[in-house]
Structures are given as structure tokens and as C-alpha cells.
């Protein structure tokens, strides 16, 4: 009854559900101690819950009243531990990619460690960046957990990957080039090419694009324009999803 809080002495604290977490540490972190006086209801129980949630080790945390004997209360801290990583696997891409993808995700995944949403998100983003560098700008990654029956409270992370089609470059336009035509400048961009009927390797790769920008300036230098520079660029997509570079 919030209008009539009562004061109790904590007679005992039991922790349940913690198979891999130190029970005494959880009691200490909660701030609740045997012999302490607490008011029920008050901020003391919610504050204990917040302290335990901040550990990010659990899917659920409860503090329950087991029983009362007079003005003595016995508490139970019940937790549901988050699963730990057993292993991971990739679906939707050829095995030839797996070694490279392992290098990407192993920066965030540690066998036996707690699986958090941040861990899954960071690993998925790393996979997307890997394929974007190869021109698959629309790569989608879905991460699911599958219980590992061979290990207690462990899961297998499954990365379902849809690379989708490579994004083609529809056009490359130059602004400010008064003496050298677009066609000649585009010819210096060997790694960043427009989509043409007979050209199948039109794709956007960030590393190649940077090299091609340098190649354009290098060509200007050979034409006597020693102070030539690119003062800005814009990359955008049309309704068909194709790239335009200005």
C-alpha cells in the first residue's frame, strides 16, 4: 500500500536464476544487505533493480518478497541470464566469403560471452560494410539466435545475408571543367565507370572512387593546371536506385 509504507529489517536475501554470475556480487551490487532497514514500498527496491539492470547481463530482473516474519522480510533476487555465444554461422552467401566475414565479425563476437543487442548490431553492420566496399550497397543482414542444445544457456548466432544486386552508376557529371570535356575526365576514372550496355563492371567502390578522383587531378596537372582541385562532390540515387555522381 503506497499510502501506508512499512519498515522492515532484511532477514535474508536469496539469488535465483544465476548460473554463471557471482551470487555474492549481485547482492552487493543491488545495495541490499541483511540487517538493513528498508521501507516497502520506497525507492530502495527500484534502485536495486536499476543497479542490476545496468550490468546488461540479464533479460529479466525481479526482486520478490519470499515471506515476512513480523517486521523481518526475506527477499529473493530472481534473474534470467542472457544467453552466451556458442558459435556463429552465415547463410545466403558462398563459403568463399566466410573467412573474410569471420575476420569482420570476430572483432565483436567472443565465444562464451554474453550476447547483447549491441554485439549483434555491430557484427551485422560490419558485414554490410564489407559488401558495400564490393559494390553491394543494398546488402541486408538479419541476425537470429538459435538455442544450442549442446551447451547450457548458449545460442548460435545466424547471419542471414542478402547481398542484392550491385548498384550501377548511371552518370558521372563534372562541374567547373571549362577546358577539358567530361568524356576525357571520365576516361581517367578507370575504377568508377558509368553503366553502359556493354560494360558489366559498373559499380561504386569507395577506394576506387578516391583513387579516380586523384587520377582526375593528376591529369589536370599534366595539362598545366598545377593548382587544380576537387572542391566538393555529391553522390545520390535516383528512383531506380542507380547512382549519380556530380
Amino acid at each position: 500500500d503506497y499510502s501506508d509504507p512499512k519498515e522492515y529489517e532484511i532477514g535474508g536475501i536469496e539469488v535465483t536464476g544465476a548460473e554463471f554470475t557471482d551470487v555474492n556480487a549481485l547482492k552487493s551490487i543491488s545495495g541490499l544487505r541483511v540487517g538493513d532497514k528498508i521501507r516497502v514500498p520506497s525507492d530502495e527496491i527500484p534502485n536495486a533493480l536499476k543497479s542490476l539492470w545496468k550490468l546488461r547481463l540479464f533479460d529479466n530482473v525481479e526482486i520478490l518478497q519470499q515471506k515476512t516474519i513480523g517486521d523481518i522480510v526475506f527477499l529473493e533476487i530472481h534473474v534470467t541470464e542472457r544467453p552466451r555465444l556458442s558459435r556463429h554461422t552465415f547463410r545466403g552467401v558462398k563459403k568463399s566469403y566466410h573467412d573474410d566475414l569471420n575476420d569482420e565479425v570476430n572483432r565483436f563476437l567472443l565465444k562464451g560471452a554474453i550476447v547483447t543487442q549491441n554485439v549483434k548490431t555491430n557484427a551485422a553492420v560490419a558485414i554490410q560494410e564489407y559488401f558495400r566496399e564490393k559494390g553491394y550497397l543494398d546488402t541486408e543482414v538479419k541476425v537470429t539466435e538459435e538455442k544450442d542444445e549442446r551447451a547450457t544457456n548458449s545460442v548460435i548466432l545466424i547471419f542471414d545475408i542478402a547481398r542484392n544486386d550491385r548498384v550501377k552508376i548511371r552518370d558521372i557529371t563534372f562541374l567547373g571543367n571549362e577546358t577539358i570535356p567530361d568524356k576525357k575526365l571520365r576516361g581517367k576514372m578507370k575504377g568508377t565507370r558509368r553503366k553502359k550496355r556493354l560494360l558489366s563492371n559498373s559499380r561504386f567502390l569507395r577506394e576506387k572512387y578516391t583513387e579516380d578522383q586523384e587520377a582526375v587531378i593528376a591529369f589536370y596537372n599534366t595539362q598545366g593546371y598545377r593548382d587544380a582541385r576537387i572542391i566538393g562532390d555529391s553522390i545520390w540515387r535516383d528512383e531506380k536506385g542507380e547512382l549519380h555522381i556530380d
Side-chain angles (χ1 to χ4, degrees):
D1 184 353
Y2 281 83
S3 65
D4 184 25
K6 291 182 169 36
E7 185 173 85
Y8 292 93
E9 177 183 334
I10 300 177
I13 302 172
E14 180 184 3
V15 177
T16 59
E19 296 183 31
F20 302 96
T21 313
D22 185 271
V23 169
N24 291 325
L26 293 183
K27 292 180 182 179
S28 176
I29 291 168
S30 74
L32 301 173
R33 293 173 177 80
V34 173
D36 283 356
K37 297 288 184 66
I38 62 170
R39 293 175 68 82
V40 179
S42 69
D43 291 336
E44 290 160 295
I45 297 297
N47 287 342
L49 287 168
K50 289 176 184 177
S51 297
L52 294 170
W53 274 116
K54 285 180 181 178
L55 295 174
R56 298 185 179 181
L57 297 176
F58 310 111
D59 281 330
N60 188 42
V61 180
E62 296 176 298
I63 296 180
L64 309 172
Q65 174 185 295
Q66 286 185 326
K67 62 181 178 179
T68 59
I69 301 176
D71 61 353
I72 297 177
V73 65
F74 293 83
L75 301 176
E76 175 188 349
I77 299 175
H78 179 72
V79 297
T80 302
E81 292 178 315
R82 284 181 172 171
R84 295 174 183 266
L85 178 64
S86 171
R87 54 194 172 91
H88 67 272
T89 186
F90 306 107
R91 293 194 303 211
V93 293
K94 295 178 180 179
K95 289 188 180 295
S96 57
Y97 284 114
H98 286 200
D99 285 344
D100 287 343
L101 292 177
N102 281 330
D103 289 340
E104 296 295 329
V105 301
N106 283 342
R107 293 180 289 150
F108 309 102
L109 304 181
L110 180 63
K111 187 175 181 179
I114 295 289
V115 176
T116 66
Q117 187 58 47
N118 280 347
V119 165
K120 293 189 288 186
T121 299
N122 289 336
V125 169
I127 293 172
Q128 288 177 311
E129 290 300 321
Y130 171 80
F131 283 110
R132 283 170 182 164
E133 288 299 318
K134 297 184 177 298
Y136 298 98
L137 304 187
D138 294 329
T139 296
E140 298 175 89
V141 180
K142 181 182 178 182
V143 189
T144 55
E145 298 179 16
E146 184 178 288
K147 186 176 180 181
D148 189 347
E149 300 295 344
R150 298 178 299 180
T152 305
N153 197 36
S154 295
V155 294
I156 303 166
L157 285 187
I158 301 172
F159 296 94
D160 285 294
I161 304 169
R163 293 183 310 175
N164 298 315
D165 294 332
R166 278 196 173 106
V167 176
K168 302 294 185 179
I169 300 172
R170 168 57 64 181
D171 201 9
I172 302 174
T173 304
F174 294 89
L175 307 173
N177 55 322
E178 298 177 358
T179 58
I180 302 175
D182 285 14
K183 183 177 180 180
K184 184 164 286 190
L185 294 177
R186 281 194 292 263
K188 302 303 175 182
M189 301 180 71
K190 305 299 184 184
T192 310
R193 298 183 178 184
R194 293 189 300 175
K195 173 184 174 182
K196 292 183 179 179
R197 188 169 298 173
L198 299 178
L199 186 64
S200 61
N201 65 343
S202 171
R203 56 183 177 175
F204 181 80
L205 303 178
R206 176 63 64 178
E207 183 179 355
K208 293 293 184 182
Y209 177 57
T210 300
E211 293 175 0
D212 288 341
Q213 288 178 308
E214 294 171 354
V216 167
I217 296 303
F219 177 69
Y220 262 102
N221 294 161
T222 65
Q223 302 302 301
Y225 297 95
R226 306 301 299 176
D227 296 325
R229 60 193 177 98
I230 295 173
I231 59 173
D233 67 339
S234 176
I235 302 172
W236 53 281
R237 298 177 71 171
D238 59 26
E239 65 277 2
K240 294 181 179 179
E242 295 180 329
L243 284 181
H244 294 253
I245 301 175
D246 291 336

